[in-house]
Amino acid sequence: MTLVHRVRRLSTALAASVIVATASPAFAQEISDAHLQAAREAVDAINATDIFDGILPAAAAALKSTLIEKNPDLQELITTTVDEKAIEMAGRRADLEKEAGLAYARVFPVEDLNAIATFYNSPAGKKLLADGPIVTREVTKAADIWQRGIVRDLAEVVGKSLLEKTGGRAQTAPAAT
């Protein structure tokens, strides 16, 4: 899984947790405009909501498909109407940005949000977002190789030890490859 996807999933999980936690009146708090602005800048810097960009186009495509299947004679009208209405609804994307900003503002103080935005807008932060998935993929490959070696070597040394301790009577697991 790529670093960007992990960050986005973590952000999504964090946002969901925050929403659940803040449903309680004990967590109710007023968020200043400056705090919300810092949160929105952090959300924008880490591309936290980019993963949701495909929702409206996917919904439109699915709706077109369903409606055209039921009304093949209206294909052109359906396509035009769904596209028109989807474009009208695109403005609702701002609602998601606002909710994401609120979620981050509830969890992070302004100083942290500013630091997050500053880092991810820096060359190093942008490089991490762009190249992090490549590094994550390479680390995952290395971890897979390391895991196979550990499993193989553990089975081998435990097998030898058991054979020594039992005088050759123990049945051991074959070494994994």
Side-chain angles (χ1 to χ4, degrees):
M1 182 179 297
T2 67
L3 178 61
V4 172
H5 289 124
R6 285 183 182 180
V7 168
R8 288 179 183 159
R9 285 194 176 149
L10 175 62
S11 299
T12 303
L14 182 62
S17 299
V18 168
I19 290 168
V20 170
T22 57
S24 167
F27 285 93
Q29 64 182 26
E30 189 67 30
I31 296 173
S32 72
D33 289 341
H35 195 165
L36 188 55
Q37 181 61 35
R40 287 181 178 168
E41 288 174 11
V43 165
D44 185 50
I46 63 173
N47 305 318
T49 60
D50 286 3
I51 192 170
F52 307 111
D53 286 347
I55 290 175
L56 183 56
L63 182 58
K64 283 182 207 177
S65 178
T66 300
L67 292 174
I68 290 169
E69 186 178 307
K70 292 178 180 183
N71 306 284
D73 56 320
L74 300 176
Q75 179 173 352
E76 189 173 316
L77 178 61
I78 290 168
T79 300
T80 303
T81 304
V82 171
D83 288 345
E84 177 183 295
K85 297 303 177 186
I87 290 169
E88 288 175 11
M89 294 182 83
R92 291 176 55 183
R93 180 70 159 79
D95 296 341
L96 176 61
E97 297 297 324
K98 180 180 177 185
E99 291 302 319
L102 285 168
Y104 273 81
R106 288 181 186 120
V107 174
F108 295 101
V110 173
E111 298 77 20
D112 289 350
L113 292 165
N114 288 332
I116 290 166
T118 298
F119 173 73
Y120 281 99
N121 283 319
S122 74
K126 288 178 181 181
K127 184 161 180 61
L128 177 61
L129 287 174
D131 296 340
I134 296 167
V135 173
T136 300
R137 188 172 45 246
E138 292 302 315
V139 169
T140 300
K141 284 175 18 183
D144 288 343
I145 293 167
W146 177 81
Q147 178 184 9
R148 286 191 300 270
I150 287 292
V151 168
R152 178 197 63 231
D153 294 349
L154 179 61
E156 184 179 311
V157 297
V158 167
K160 284 180 183 176
S161 181
L162 287 174
L163 287 173
E164 288 173 6
K165 291 178 180 181
T166 63
R169 294 187 330 258
Q171 293 186 11
T172 61
T177 55

